[in-house]
Amino acid sequence: MAKILFVMTGVDYWTLADGTRHPTGYWAEEFAAPYEAFIAAGHEIVVATPGGVIPAVDRGSLVAEVNGGAEGADKVAEILAGAKELNAPVKLEEVDLADFDAVYYPGGHGPMEDLAVDADSGKLLTAALASGKPLGVVCHAPAALLATADAQGKSPFAGYRLTGFSNAEETQAGLADKAEWLLQDRLVALGVDYREGEPWAPHVEVDRNLYTGQNPASSAPLAAELLKAL
């Protein structure tokens, strides 16, 4: 049995370019699909957030339209309701990577707000990459990689092949022209080898011990790849 750390956003909003707050949090499917897969395989999960706050789900990620219908939405809601780990997060700043066999970051717009500038998360990501332990990051969660850059803007993730929520998807979601910055642009500027798949289709990239998924539909395939490495 492996012990897997889920690092999650601690906010329920994303500040837009005009200063208004867009309601968000973590994206339900990106927690639920990997959680279900890892638990079914007998692994243990620990949730960590900045300050140890209970993570907030993006209410928009619970509706039938983004879960393949009412049945899918009910299943996701059931998984979240049964995931006791969500209600007992540890403090991200107190996490010891040595206690875990793998690290996984679910997305949602929340990480764009807090994890993108969280030094503790940046240190954890840097250590996880260097450790060789499986590191999974999906959708908007690669925003957390921005916190790994040093004073000169250099990141240990530079040169790694990875993916994340694309400009095309943000545009189709109706938020690109409202955002202060776009994830794809910032990842490219960080020096990573960004790979873009078709909007909304599953797309996973694996480069050494780094496992990334482009969008919500990529979370289950990403979990499957991580399970192979455990």
Side-chain angles (χ1 to χ4, degrees):
M1 180 185 76
K3 192 173 182 181
I4 306 170
L5 179 69
F6 274 43
V7 180
M8 303 179 67
T9 179
V11 299
D12 61 2
Y13 65 91
W14 174 37
T15 305
L16 301 178
D18 64 0
T20 60
R21 290 184 170 185
H22 175 72
T24 185
Y26 71 89
W27 196 259
E29 180 181 359
E30 294 167 19
F31 172 87
Y35 178 89
E36 182 181 41
F38 296 151
I39 291 296
H43 301 308
E44 178 184 354
I45 291 171
V46 174
V47 169
T49 62
V53 302
I54 295 176
V57 65
D58 187 319
R59 307 306 298 181
S61 68
L62 297 174
V63 301
E65 289 80 359
V66 298
N67 287 292
E71 184 176 342
D74 289 345
K75 180 181 179 182
V76 165
E78 182 180 353
I79 293 171
L80 297 188
K84 61 185 185 299
E85 298 87 350
L86 282 172
N87 295 315
V90 300
K91 294 181 179 180
L92 176 59
E93 54 271 27
E94 297 179 357
V95 164
D96 185 350
L97 179 62
D99 296 335
F100 300 93
D101 301 293
V103 178
Y104 170 68
Y105 277 64
H109 280 104
M112 301 271 282
E113 183 73 27
D114 61 351
L115 297 181
V117 293
D118 189 293
D120 294 307
S121 174
K123 291 174 184 175
L124 177 67
L125 285 165
T126 297
L129 189 69
S131 73
K133 296 177 180 182
L135 171 60
V137 195
V138 72
C139 200
H140 285 94
L145 304 187
L146 301 178
T148 67
D150 62 18
Q152 289 72 45
K154 296 183 182 298
S155 166
F157 288 86
Y160 272 77
R161 187 180 72 255
L162 57 80
T163 189
F165 205 66
S166 68
N167 288 356
E169 287 165 323
E170 204 72 84
T171 299
Q172 292 177 21
L175 289 167
D177 60 349
K178 301 176 183 179
E180 187 173 353
W181 51 272
L182 298 178
L183 178 59
Q184 180 178 341
D185 293 343
R186 291 290 296 272
L187 289 175
V188 170
L190 193 66
V192 308
D193 179 9
Y194 178 86
R195 301 294 179 91
E196 179 180 358
E198 289 298 316
W200 314 111
H203 178 215
V204 172
E205 292 286 346
V206 180
D207 187 350
R208 288 156 278 186
N209 63 315
L210 179 62
Y211 298 73
T212 54
Q214 181 172 319
N215 46 38
S218 306
S219 56
L222 178 62
E225 290 294 331
L226 286 168
L227 282 172
K228 294 177 186 177
L230 292 172

